[in-house]
Amino acid sequence: TMYRETPDSSEEPLRQHSGTLDDIRHRAYREQSREDTVGIMICDKDRLFVEGIAALIEQWDEFDLLAKIYSYDDAIEAAKEHLPAVVLLGARVGDTPCAPVIRDILAFDPGVCIMVLASSGDSREVLDALRAGAMGYGVRNELSVDRLRGTIWGMVCGEVVFDGSIRTHLQEALLASDSKVPAPSDGEPGLLKL
């Protein structure tokens, strides 16, 4: 099933939902005449990877590739200029982690959905990205074409999405940290399992 933004016949319905993620997206699409596509920006130090993802996105009619970026500094400026709905962001550029960049982009545009694409599923890196505001995290060599497309749509629909192995790494990290927490007494409710 393909999700498409529908053009608004009046401004009134948007005023009811002022400040929501959908409102922000609708305003950006109207301002840039992209009422029926999702604007995407890609940033990673690996040019071959960026070009490959860009080629996929350009094949899908529901997406509009806004920018291909190769540094974090350029990513922040491009996000301000293009107002993408989705940013696909490399986990590291050189020695710089993605979390500060995520915070900077979201400080300017809190409605953007950021997915981190990494070489590995290091649980610390995943948690740092989530704390910074990322809505998705995937390991490059585990992403299929369909999985990438579904992940983008999941974020656009407001879901926090992970690649399968990332979920396993996070679950293990959370369970390890839970083992350090004392067990609840008989009168306290138990912890929910993932």
Side-chain angles (χ1 to χ4, degrees):
T1 309
M2 195 167 11
Y3 171 85
R4 289 195 179 253
E5 300 285 345
T6 55
D8 295 315
S9 56
S10 74
E11 293 291 310
E12 193 57 38
L14 288 179
R15 288 193 191 110
Q16 296 173 1
H17 306 288
S18 179
T20 65
L21 187 60
D22 284 338
D23 180 40
I24 293 167
R25 274 197 210 102
H26 277 93
R27 276 188 279 130
Y29 293 158
R30 272 198 314 280
E31 290 169 5
Q32 297 184 7
S33 300
R34 291 189 182 94
E35 294 179 348
D36 61 345
T37 60
V38 174
I40 298 179
M41 184 178 93
I42 307 167
C43 175
D44 195 277
K45 65 183 176 188
D46 183 343
R47 289 182 182 271
L48 184 60
F49 180 74
V50 169
E51 294 298 326
I53 296 296
L56 282 175
I57 289 169
E58 289 176 329
Q59 292 178 20
W60 298 326
D61 292 338
E62 70 267 28
F63 300 131
D64 184 13
L65 181 63
L66 303 176
K68 298 181 285 187
I69 308 298
Y70 306 99
S71 77
Y72 283 161
D73 291 334
D74 292 342
I76 295 166
E77 291 307 311
K80 290 177 181 179
E81 178 184 342
H82 297 288
L83 298 173
V86 175
V87 174
L88 303 177
L89 187 66
R92 293 189 159 272
V93 172
D95 292 332
T96 308
C98 63
V101 177
I102 293 169
R103 281 190 285 276
D104 288 346
I105 291 172
L106 291 173
F108 175 77
D109 181 0
V112 68
C113 302
I114 300 176
M115 178 178 184
V116 176
L117 299 171
S119 299
S120 70
D122 179 325
S123 59
R124 180 177 304 180
E125 198 170 75
V126 174
L127 289 172
D128 287 347
L130 291 175
R131 286 183 188 116
M135 289 185 67
Y137 200 101
V139 176
R140 294 176 187 198
N141 63 354
E142 296 176 1
L143 278 176
S144 67
V145 171
D146 291 335
R147 188 178 277 173
L148 176 62
R149 194 176 200 177
T151 298
I152 292 170
W153 278 121
M155 289 188 310
V156 168
C157 293
E159 297 175 14
V160 176
V161 292
F162 299 102
D163 178 64
S165 70
I166 297 295
R167 208 172 343 193
T168 303
H169 290 297
L170 282 177
Q171 188 174 24
E172 289 169 0
L174 291 172
L175 289 174
S177 68
D178 283 349
S179 67
K180 298 175 187 170
V181 176
S185 67
D186 291 335
E188 296 176 323
L191 297 174
L192 296 175
K193 291 188 178 187
L194 294 175

